[in-house]
Amino acid sequence: MEDAARQDRPAVSGAPARREVPLHPNESDRLESLRSYGLLDTPREQAYDDLVQLASALLDTPMAAVSLVDRDRQWFKASVGMDINETPRDEAFCAYVAASGEPLVVPDALADPRFRDFELVKGGLRSYAGVPLVGRDGLPLGALCVADTRPRRFGSRALKVQQVLADQVAARMELSRADLRAGLRSHDSVSVDMGAELRQALDRGEIRPFFQPVIDVRTGRASGMEALLRWVHPERGVIGPCDFLPAVEASGMIAPVGRHSAQQALRALRRCYDLGQAEPPFGVSINVSPVQLAEPGFAAAVLEEIHALDLPPEVVTVELTETGVATSVAAIHQELEDLRAGGVKVDIDDFGSGYSTLQRMLDLPLTGLKIDMGIIGRLPDDDRTARVVGWLIRAAHDIGLDVIAEGVETEAQLTFLRAHGCDRVQGHLFGRALPIESFFPAPLDRAG
């Protein structure tokens, strides 16, 4: 309603009257769609620059652009032959394309009363042709346009060439939006090859496991540690998994990152044994992704690494993350069976969130389940949560599973979990995740 009414708003007294700006019938939805791409006011990108250069060359025009039509302006994501980044919307040929969703050809702008007073026309632009950039939701976001300094008619062949290029621009925009949603880029930055950056970070040793203690509730002592990924960035410091793991998954780097994390975690445990900082049954838990589990031979590779390091397999626990369990049981079942046959424990992580359901608990060859921190955070005051957690601990024990609670932050939570028979706990109450050299700052005092 606000957008539609803007056409009829009278000009402020003393201010120059604005031209009537054409609007799309679903203008609010169109603007919302445009902003979902996160491209406005981002730096230039080679992919878009190449396409406008190609449009200019194929159609023999001195000017070409990728124009995104915003509320009050058109902004050029890429352009050739123009030294401006944007124009007011009421000075934009492409605004008519975005409003109609149809191609627009202007053979002679000086002869067209709609455009002859445009600043671009006064500056020498005489002819224009633009085709809409249409998103997957069917809404026009702007135009791929070309322009000339002489009057000319752009025929059907020229428009067909433009449409092919516009489709390529739109496809590139969809990739940009997918990258934005996956965390590979932000609203205020250029789309980058995060996969290459992550690969470099992995090669430089910046992506590494930190370790959080896992506490045996009965003894009150650490029975092991969980390896949690961190990106130790040279400029931004330590980056938590929530801020980069979505990008790891989206960029296809989850398999190599996961392998690296598992190897580093197992080798860290071996070093702890060798230095006398720990001894069996103190163990390590490693998180595993769906991509890793779906790879034939994953279990064999893990068991080979365990044997090469001369670690007892029973001190190693593979934790299936929520996304990991989202994969079909058939795709991961054999690998899990092979791990279990080799002596490795298998826990389901983040139980109670996402795809971690009772059916998965029954279908998978598990040794334990870890209750999600979002549920633990409600204890002990939320009576309904308390009842469910108590029941879940009993049910898991009845079918032979250990229960671990993550995200324990208060003594009251620990008291509740101890009273209900929870086996192991971890959380900030016992310590944050640390590099292995800080986790074990000195060898154990065996004499004590």
Side-chain angles (χ1 to χ4, degrees):
M1 292 296 291
E2 175 187 346
D3 294 309
R6 186 161 58 87
Q7 279 185 286
D8 302 323
R9 194 164 55 229
V12 177
S13 178
R18 292 175 61 86
R19 296 182 186 89
E20 182 175 310
V21 179
L23 298 176
H24 189 272
N26 297 312
E27 180 67 6
S28 294
D29 290 347
R30 193 194 70 80
L31 289 170
E32 183 177 354
S33 178
L34 173 63
R35 292 195 175 93
S36 73
Y37 290 83
L39 287 172
L40 292 169
D41 299 309
T42 56
R44 299 180 73 102
E45 297 181 58
Q46 191 64 49
Y48 296 99
D49 288 343
D50 289 346
L51 288 168
V52 295
Q53 291 281 357
L54 188 57
S56 174
L58 290 175
L59 298 177
D60 190 25
T61 60
M63 291 173 276
V66 170
S67 168
L68 303 178
V69 180
D70 200 2
R71 182 184 299 274
D72 292 307
R73 60 173 178 158
Q74 71 168 339
W75 179 79
F76 300 123
K77 176 60 180 173
S79 65
V80 60
M82 295 185 286
D83 58 0
I84 56 175
N85 294 323
E86 63 181 62
T87 75
R89 182 168 174 167
D90 63 359
E91 290 263 342
F93 293 87
C94 296
Y96 288 78
V97 179
S100 67
E102 298 292 336
L104 172 68
V105 174
V106 181
D108 188 349
L110 285 177
D112 193 318
R114 295 174 296 174
F115 310 119
R116 60 190 176 200
D117 292 330
F118 281 12
E119 291 300 320
L120 286 174
V121 175
K122 292 178 182 179
L125 186 153
R126 289 292 299 274
S127 54
Y128 166 94
V131 296
L133 300 172
V134 180
R136 284 187 175 176
D137 51 10
L139 295 171
L141 309 169
L144 173 71
C145 63
V146 294
D148 208 331
T149 55
R150 58 189 173 91
R152 60 182 286 189
R153 296 183 179 277
F154 294 92
S156 59
R157 176 188 172 279
L159 289 179
K160 185 175 182 179
V161 170
Q162 277 186 267
Q163 189 60 64
V164 170
L165 295 175
D167 290 344
Q168 293 302 308
V169 173
R172 185 69 186 88
M173 290 175 66
E174 294 300 337
L175 289 175
S176 293
R177 181 159 65 171
D179 285 351
L180 181 67
R181 291 174 173 174
L184 298 179
R185 52 183 291 269
S186 65
H187 277 282
D188 57 357
S189 68
V190 66
S191 181
V192 297
D193 186 355
M194 182 64 81
E197 185 177 353
L198 287 166
R199 167 55 68 184
Q200 293 169 3
L202 191 63
D203 292 342
R204 291 192 296 260
E206 295 171 9
I207 299 177
R208 65 186 73 158
F210 279 31
F211 297 89
Q212 185 176 49
V214 178
I215 307 299
D216 186 311
V217 174
R218 291 178 293 274
T219 67
R221 302 182 62 182
S223 62
M225 56 188 181
E226 181 183 4
L228 300 167
L229 272 185
R230 299 291 186 268
W231 184 352
V232 185
H233 197 280
E235 297 174 357
R236 288 180 280 167
V238 178
I239 302 174
C242 292
D243 293 325
F244 75 93
L245 277 184
V248 170
E249 293 179 350
S251 64
M253 285 289 294
I254 192 65
V257 168
R259 285 194 299 269
H260 173 81
S261 175
Q263 290 171 350
Q264 293 300 308
L266 294 172
R267 292 170 186 176
L269 181 63
R270 179 69 264 172
R271 287 197 300 272
C272 292
Y273 286 176
D274 293 342
L275 293 174
Q277 297 168 321
E279 58 188 17
F282 185 94
V284 67
S285 300
I286 56 177
N287 291 293
V288 174
S289 79
V291 176
Q292 293 171 276
L293 285 169
E295 287 183 344
F298 167 77
V302 171
L303 292 171
E304 181 180 353
E305 183 76 16
I306 291 171
H307 294 150
L309 293 170
D310 194 25
L311 292 171
E314 62 271 14
V315 303
V316 178
T317 301
V318 166
E319 291 192 8
L320 309 184
T321 62
E322 174 197 336
T323 51
V325 183
T327 306
S328 69
V329 170
I332 63 178
H333 199 280
Q334 186 57 55
E335 295 300 316
L336 297 181
E337 289 283 10
D338 291 346
L339 287 170
R340 292 290 296 114
V344 173
K345 298 175 184 176
V346 177
D347 291 352
I348 188 169
D349 196 11
D350 299 324
F351 191 86
S353 68
Y355 295 95
S356 302
T357 64
L358 287 173
Q359 183 173 346
R360 301 286 188 177
M361 181 179 74
L362 296 173
D363 289 344
L364 295 172
L366 303 175
T367 55
L369 62 87
K370 180 180 284 187
I371 304 175
D372 183 69
M373 65 174 63
I375 295 174
I376 299 302
R378 300 178 184 181
L379 296 175
D381 298 328
D382 187 313
D383 183 64
R384 295 178 67 188
T385 301
R387 290 174 181 271
V388 169
V389 170
W391 168 83
L392 182 57
I393 293 172
R394 293 191 300 272
H397 286 165
D398 284 346
I399 59 174
L401 301 182
D402 284 348
V403 178
I404 309 97
E406 64 178 350
V408 178
E409 297 187 351
T410 69
E411 289 288 349
Q413 291 168 349
L414 176 59
T415 298
F416 174 92
L417 292 165
R418 181 185 292 117
H420 286 79
C422 185
D423 301 288
R424 285 169 281 154
V425 291
Q426 65 185 101
H428 290 171
L429 182 63
F430 314 100
R432 297 178 179 272
L434 297 170
I436 193 63
E437 58 270 17
S438 299
F439 188 95
F440 281 119
L444 293 173
D445 183 1
R446 295 185 181 278

